[in-house]
């Protein structure tokens, strides 16, 4: 049971709900009280609000609060927790089908399930195109725009069309791939953030993500309509989009904004879209696994005919053969039971989900809660940019060493389609890497690479290889780079080492002690080299499980999450959140540069008033409930500035690492003509236990309900 942690944080006393960035002022009587809600002593004096434009700063220190000049609102009652999942203002809409989109860094796909048949998960139709030996249950996350910047194609179709373009013509087309990572690596993500196409031209990231989501929307609705025999309405669909758990709120909101622009849902019907966290989705699916649907790497048991005494590569070959035999089947049956592995779990047992994708690796620690089998997040999601793209970057560095960085960068610009061909050739060879491989791996160099290099350098590719002194890469007369198995394995090492190191750090945490299972999921989990490394490092601490069809684990789990979003009962807050307020200035406690004098009263500016801590447990359905009154009766629009930090011990909004992360807008216009009490009560409900932060405001006098969203992008 989660305790009402808001009391310990003193959220009852934050006063800084401000119009256009205003700061509220707190009197001495409004110092934090730790008395429970409803106590006869838990009372507040009405706050006194000022205009800051008349302030007389005592130093030249520049405070964010000093330029703010409007009144805000004052609290009417202490904060308290509403531990009631039925207290959500919005009613749950009934949907006929759940469609989940796994928007990956390297590949993407969708799956769906009808709500009347939740045990059947249908994976999208087979994609046209594809690479020999590579499963096409998903399609590459590649998009092609015309020279006029209009959408042309997505996935294999985009890649194949771009490949067939004349080199000079290709320079005019905008081809983008692996662009999802931009949302993770951009520290100041906004609606205007740009992406760079293969030809070097810039394009708005929001536009590209919206095009991609619109493509999946059209594909899914067409397939559903074909099955139904009539036009399938978008309003009958609950959409689920997966994102890494380690993404910060701006990136999650960005995906929602892209979905709005793509027409998946409207802002007025935001509940139609769920943002699902990738490792959580995988965790939900893993609960259903039966023995024949998994491979166990540990030597503690034999599963599906595979034991720890076999080689990792051989074990996964059996799994891929199973997939190959069943490739024509697009429907997966998910029994409404807990799988055999889960039946071994007892109340309080812990497990780790390692989601290894193309761009990131996400680690989530869950604890089982019986009898329903609900999940509790024990430790906030961690991870980093340790996906399979790291292997591609190492290959790029190898090419730099052999041919020169100046040539490779120039080749990307001058022959963008040929560069794509080269990386496709590397991808298929990359998938063939294994610990026990003895044969060399051949990577075909495009003819334009060989030709352009000779023009650029004045000598042949073969000469470059001899001169580079890279002994483990040879030149084949058939026009190929011949890499030894050790050379290929070396490309994996930095990325895999980062994953193992991060896992080791995680296993040192008290919350992660006595973990029973480690589930390895995601596309990169197919790599035998990663499997071997994880088994060698942690096989003696827990049982290591890989689901069959491992690349579809997140997709299928996302469908299950859309059918039952309440399955995750407790999450951890990734950041500390708070607002900037003013407190009574205390000599010796507060810094002199924070002193602000108004009408003889001494105030401390820029105080960080915390309302949730990093790594704080937040239960699904628990709402923070607050009542306010506007400082002015005519004040109908209130804007709250939200700050965040990765640290817990934050004192001021000007502390290092504290960032303004968004704004919350309460709009109560349209009620000014209604008779209201002198002290108008505005009740606010804030919910943190979901994958996104939600808030609702209710004007008690008129019963007007106003939905609000926290905006992490437009500030």
């Amino acid at each position: 049971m989660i305790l009402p942690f808001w009391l310990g944080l003193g959220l009852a006393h934050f006063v800084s709900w401000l119009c256009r960035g205003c700061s509220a002022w707190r009197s001495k009587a409004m110092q934090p009280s730790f008395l429970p809600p409803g106590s006869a002593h838990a009372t507040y004096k009405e706050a006194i609000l000022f205009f800051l434009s008349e302030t007389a700063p005592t130093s030249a220190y520049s405070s964010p609060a000093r330029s703010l000049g409007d009144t805000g609102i004052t609290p009417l009652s202490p904060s308290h927790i509403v531990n009631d999942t039925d207290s959500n203002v919005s009613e749950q809409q009934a949907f006929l089908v759940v469609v989940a989109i796994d928007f990956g860094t390297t590949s993407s796909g969708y799956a769906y399930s009808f709500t009347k048949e939740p045990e059947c998960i249908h994976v999208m139709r087979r994609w046209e195109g594809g690479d020999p030996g590579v499963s096409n249950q998903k399609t590459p996350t590649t998009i092609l725009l015309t020279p006029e910047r209009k959408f042309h194609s997505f996935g294999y179709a985009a890649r194949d069309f771009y490949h067939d373009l004349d080199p000079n013509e290709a320079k005019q087309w905008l081809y983008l791939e692996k662009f999802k990572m931009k949302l993770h690596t951009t520290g100041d993500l906004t609606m205007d953030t740009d992406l760079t196409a293969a030809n070097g031209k810039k394009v708005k990231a929001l536009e590209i993500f919206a095009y991609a989501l619109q493509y999946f929307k059209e594909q899914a609705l067409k397939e559903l309509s074909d099955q139904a025999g009539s036009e399938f309405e978008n309003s009958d669909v609950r959409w689920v989009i997966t994102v890494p758990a380690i993404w910060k709120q701006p990136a999650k909101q960005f995906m929602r904004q892209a979905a709005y622009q793509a027409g998946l849902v409207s802002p007025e019907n935001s509940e139609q879209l769920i943002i699902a966290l990738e490792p959580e989705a995988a965790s939900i699916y893993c609960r259903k696994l039966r023995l024949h649907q998994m491979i166990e790497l540990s030597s503690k048991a034999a599963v599906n005919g595979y034991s720890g005494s076999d080689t990792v590569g051989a074990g996964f070959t059996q799994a891929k053969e199973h997939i190959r035999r069943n490739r024509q089947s697009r429907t997966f049956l998910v029994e409404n039971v807990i799988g055999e592995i889960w039946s071994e779990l007892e109340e309080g047992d812990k497990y780790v989900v390692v989601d290894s994708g193309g761009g990131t690796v996400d680690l989530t620690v869950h604890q089982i809660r019986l009898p329903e089998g609900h999940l509790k997040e024990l430790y906030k999601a961690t991870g980093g940019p340790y996906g399979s793209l790291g292997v591609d970057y190492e290959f790029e560095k190898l090419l730099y060493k052999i041919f020169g960085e100046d040539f490779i960068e120039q080749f990307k610009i001058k022959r963008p389609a040929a560069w794509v061909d080269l990386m496709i050739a590397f991808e298929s060879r990359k998938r063939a890497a294994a610990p026990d491989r003895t044969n060399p791996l051949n990577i075909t160099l495009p003819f334009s690479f060989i030709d352009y290099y000779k023009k650029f350098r004045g000598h042949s590719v073969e000469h470059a290889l001899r001169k580079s002194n890279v002994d483990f890469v040879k030149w084949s007369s058939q026009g190929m780079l011949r890499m030894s198995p050790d050379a290929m394995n070396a490309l994996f090492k930095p990325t895999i080492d980062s994953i193992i190191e991060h896992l080791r750090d995680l296993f040192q945490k008290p919350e992660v002690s006595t973990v029973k299972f480690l589930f390895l999921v995601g596309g990169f989990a197919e790599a035998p080299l990663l499997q071997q490394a994880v088994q060698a490092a942690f096989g003696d601490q827990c049982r290591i499980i890989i689901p069959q069809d491992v690349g579809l684990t997140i997709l299928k789990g996302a469908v299950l999450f859309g059918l039952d979003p309440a399955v995750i009962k407790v999450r951890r807050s990734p950041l500390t959140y708070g607002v900037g307020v003013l407190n009574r200035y205390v000599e010796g406690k507060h810094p002199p540069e924070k002193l602000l004098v108004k009408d003889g009263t001494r105030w401390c500016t820029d105080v960080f008033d915390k309302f949730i801590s990093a790594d704080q447990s937040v239960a699904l359905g628990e709402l923070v409930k607050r009542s306010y009154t506007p400082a002015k009766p005519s004040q109908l629009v209130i804007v709250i500035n939200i700050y965040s930090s990765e640290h817990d011990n934050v004192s001021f909004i000007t502390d290092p690492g504290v960032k303004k992360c968004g704004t919350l807008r309460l709009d109560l216009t349209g009620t000014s003509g209604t008779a209201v009490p002198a002290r108008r009560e505005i009740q606010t409900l804030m919910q943190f236990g979901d994958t996104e932060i939600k808030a609702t405001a209710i004007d008690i006098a008129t019963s007007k309900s106003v939905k609000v969203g926290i905006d992490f992008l437009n500030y």
Side-chain angles (χ1 to χ4, degrees):
M1 185 68 187
I2 302 303
L3 295 174
F5 51 84
W6 308 100
L7 299 177
L9 298 179
L11 173 64
H13 317 283
F14 84 77
V15 197
S16 67
W17 305 108
L18 308 174
C19 180
R20 294 188 301 277
C22 300
S23 291
W25 298 65
R26 291 203 297 196
S27 69
K28 195 170 185 178
M30 295 165 60
Q31 295 303 309
S33 166
F34 296 98
L35 297 172
S39 165
H41 300 286
T43 59
Y44 287 79
K45 292 182 180 178
E46 188 161 350
I48 303 172
L49 299 172
F50 302 91
F51 288 95
L52 297 181
S53 56
E54 301 174 13
T55 60
T58 58
S59 71
Y61 170 76
S62 178
S63 161
R66 294 190 192 280
S67 61
L68 306 175
D70 293 328
T71 55
I73 57 177
T74 65
L76 280 174
S77 66
S79 302
H80 61 280
I81 298 295
V82 181
N83 191 9
D84 181 4
T85 55
D86 296 330
S87 61
N88 292 294
V89 176
S90 59
E91 296 182 0
Q92 290 295 318
Q93 180 179 345
F95 299 100
L96 298 180
V97 66
V98 170
V99 178
I101 300 173
D102 181 4
F103 199 116
T105 301
T106 55
S107 60
S108 300
Y110 69 87
Y112 58 92
S113 178
F114 294 97
T115 52
K116 290 184 178 179
E117 296 180 325
E119 71 281 358
C120 294
I121 299 177
H122 308 273
V123 179
M124 63 283 166
R125 294 166 173 160
R126 292 185 63 185
W127 301 99
E128 295 300 322
D131 303 321
V134 177
S135 170
N136 59 352
Q137 292 167 315
K138 293 184 182 179
T139 194
T141 308
T142 56
I143 194 167
L144 183 64
L145 305 186
T146 67
E148 294 75 35
R149 296 175 177 258
K150 301 296 184 184
F151 176 81
H152 180 271
S153 49
F154 186 90
Y156 286 118
R159 206 185 67 184
D160 293 346
F161 186 91
Y162 186 64
H163 170 274
D164 293 336
L165 286 172
D166 177 84
N168 290 325
E169 189 180 1
K171 295 175 187 176
Q172 307 305 315
W173 291 67
L174 284 78
Y175 179 84
L176 297 101
E177 61 178 352
K178 302 169 184 173
F179 48 84
K180 179 183 172 184
M181 278 293 286
K182 182 76 171 181
L183 300 192
H184 179 68
T185 57
T186 303
D188 56 345
L189 182 69
T190 70
M191 304 282 275
D192 293 324
T193 295
D194 286 329
L195 296 174
T196 304
N199 60 2
K201 293 183 179 179
K202 302 285 186 181
V203 61
K204 295 296 180 197
L206 186 66
E207 182 180 338
I208 296 301
F209 280 84
Y211 275 143
L213 292 175
Q214 184 178 9
Y215 170 80
F216 281 113
K217 172 194 170 186
E218 292 171 357
Q219 292 285 317
L221 288 179
K222 183 177 186 303
E223 184 168 344
L224 290 168
S225 297
D226 289 346
Q227 285 209 11
S230 59
E231 195 73 19
F232 206 91
E233 296 295 331
N234 186 57
S235 58
D236 293 329
V237 179
R238 159 159 271 173
W239 295 95
V240 181
I241 299 176
T242 64
V243 301
I246 59 173
W247 270 13
K248 291 184 171 57
Q249 292 294 344
K252 294 174 186 175
Q253 184 189 333
F254 189 95
M255 289 298 288
R256 180 171 285 278
Q257 292 297 327
Y260 291 156
Q261 186 161 318
L264 263 72
V265 299
S266 66
E268 294 73 30
N269 195 21
S270 61
E271 298 295 324
Q272 191 181 353
L273 170 65
I274 296 175
I275 301 295
L277 307 182
E278 290 167 357
E280 282 192 356
S283 179
I284 291 166
Y285 178 71
C286 287
R287 296 191 319 148
K288 305 286 188 179
L289 286 175
R290 309 305 300 268
L291 287 176
H292 66 278
Q293 297 172 311
M294 66 186 81
I295 303 162
E296 181 164 0
L297 295 187
S298 64
S299 57
K300 295 181 180 179
V303 179
N304 197 30
Y306 171 73
S307 68
S309 60
D310 299 322
T311 64
V312 174
F316 206 78
T317 299
Q318 293 179 18
K320 288 197 286 188
E321 176 62 19
H322 176 83
I323 294 170
R324 187 193 64 77
R325 290 197 304 268
N326 294 278
R327 186 173 290 177
Q328 299 306 320
S329 174
R330 296 267 114 346
T331 300
F332 294 85
L333 294 179
V334 182
E335 299 179 52
N336 191 26
V337 295
I338 299 298
E340 287 97 338
I341 286 288
W342 235 257
S343 66
E344 299 180 29
L345 289 171
E346 300 174 353
E347 177 75 33
D349 277 351
K350 309 168 187 177
Y351 63 94
V352 176
V353 176
V354 181
D355 171 21
S356 309
T360 57
V361 167
D362 251 349
L363 312 177
T364 296
V365 186
H366 278 161
Q367 186 176 47
I368 196 78
R369 301 179 75 185
L370 298 176
E372 299 89 355
H374 290 145
L375 305 177
K376 174 182 179 180
E377 187 181 21
L378 280 184
Y379 189 74
K380 66 179 180 180
T382 62
Y386 317 133
S388 62
L389 282 185
V391 185
D392 298 350
Y393 296 146
E394 290 299 316
F395 178 62
E396 228 176 286
K397 285 162 63 176
L398 178 62
L399 294 179
Y400 286 168
K401 187 173 182 181
I402 297 172
F403 303 107
E405 183 175 353
D406 57 341
F407 166 73
I408 295 298
E409 293 303 318
Q410 190 70 10
F411 179 73
K412 287 181 186 178
I413 297 171
K414 296 294 185 181
R415 301 288 188 272
W419 173 254
V420 171
D421 288 346
L422 175 56
M423 295 309 293
I424 291 170
F426 173 71
E427 178 67 26
S428 63
R429 296 292 82 204
K430 180 175 77 172
R431 290 170 181 256
D436 55 349
R437 186 180 180 94
T438 57
N439 297 329
L441 297 108
N442 295 323
I443 301 167
T444 302
L445 284 181
F447 172 77
S448 59
F449 185 100
I450 299 169
D451 180 62
Y452 190 70
Y453 182 79
K454 191 167 186 178
K455 292 177 181 176
F456 191 88
R457 290 277 189 243
H459 54 254
S460 67
V461 165
E462 184 178 2
H463 175 80
L465 273 164
R466 285 199 307 268
K467 189 178 177 183
S468 68
N469 296 319
V470 179
D471 296 333
F472 43 79
V473 180
K474 305 295 182 185
W475 175 249
S476 165
S477 57
Q478 287 79 31
M480 300 177 180
L481 295 178
R482 179 164 290 173
M483 295 184 66
S484 70
D486 288 343
M488 178 62 79
N489 295 357
L491 300 182
F492 282 75
K493 191 175 186 307
T495 301
I496 290 178
D497 285 351
S498 295
I499 296 171
I500 299 301
E501 182 181 354
H502 200 90
L503 267 170
R504 281 209 176 98
D505 290 343
L506 182 67
F507 270 72
Q508 297 299 315
K509 308 294 182 186
E511 302 93 334
V512 193
S513 60
T514 64
V515 162
K516 201 163 187 177
F517 294 105
L518 185 153
F519 290 94
L520 191 58
V521 304
F524 196 24
E526 296 181 9
L529 290 167
L530 177 59
Q531 297 171 23
Q532 182 195 54
V534 173
Q535 166 60 20
F538 306 103
D540 60 344
Q541 299 180 51
C542 58
R543 294 169 64 181
I544 299 167
I545 306 294
I546 302 179
Q548 295 213 11
D549 276 346
V550 64
L552 296 177
T553 301
I554 293 165
L555 187 55
K556 290 182 279 190
V559 174
L560 294 174
F561 183 59
L563 292 168
D564 181 17
V567 67
I568 308 288
K569 289 296 184 185
V570 181
R571 288 187 173 88
R572 295 273 180 162
S573 174
L575 298 172
T576 295
Y577 290 95
V579 294
V581 301
L582 287 85
N583 278 345
R584 286 277 189 159
Y585 187 84
V586 179
E587 200 74 44
K589 176 184 176 182
H590 294 137
E593 64 269 17
K594 298 289 185 183
L595 176 61
L596 184 68
V597 180
K598 171 64 182 177
D599 292 341
T601 304
R602 293 155 62 85
W603 299 96
C604 180
T605 66
D606 305 327
V607 175
F608 185 96
D609 195 9
K610 179 171 53 178
F611 56 90
I612 189 171
S613 296
D615 207 27
Q616 187 93 45
S617 286
V618 190
L620 186 66
E622 288 189 288
L623 305 176
V624 182
K625 188 176 181 181
R626 280 279 292 181
S627 291
Y628 302 94
T629 184
K632 287 182 178 180
S634 60
Q635 184 179 334
L636 299 175
V637 179
I638 302 154
V639 177
I640 308 152
N641 291 315
I642 312 289
Y643 295 87
S644 66
S645 173
E646 295 182 358
H647 308 291
D648 186 22
N649 55 339
V650 181
S651 299
F652 301 99
I653 62 174
T654 52
D655 286 355
V658 177
K659 298 180 180 178
K660 183 179 176 183
C661 64
T663 57
L664 180 62
R665 181 181 180 88
L666 305 178
D667 190 348
L668 298 175
T669 55
T671 61
S672 56
T674 307
V676 295
R679 297 180 67 191
R680 184 174 195 161
E681 181 179 358
I682 301 165
Q683 194 176 87
T684 303
L685 303 176
M686 297 189 70
Q687 180 180 353
F688 290 90
D690 207 347
T691 55
E692 298 175 280
I693 299 173
K694 300 176 182 178
T696 303
I698 305 171
D699 182 15
I700 299 301
T702 62
S703 298
K704 180 179 179 182
S705 175
V706 183
K707 287 185 179 181
V708 293
I710 294 181
D711 187 353
F712 291 90
L713 295 171
N714 299 300
Y715 54 85

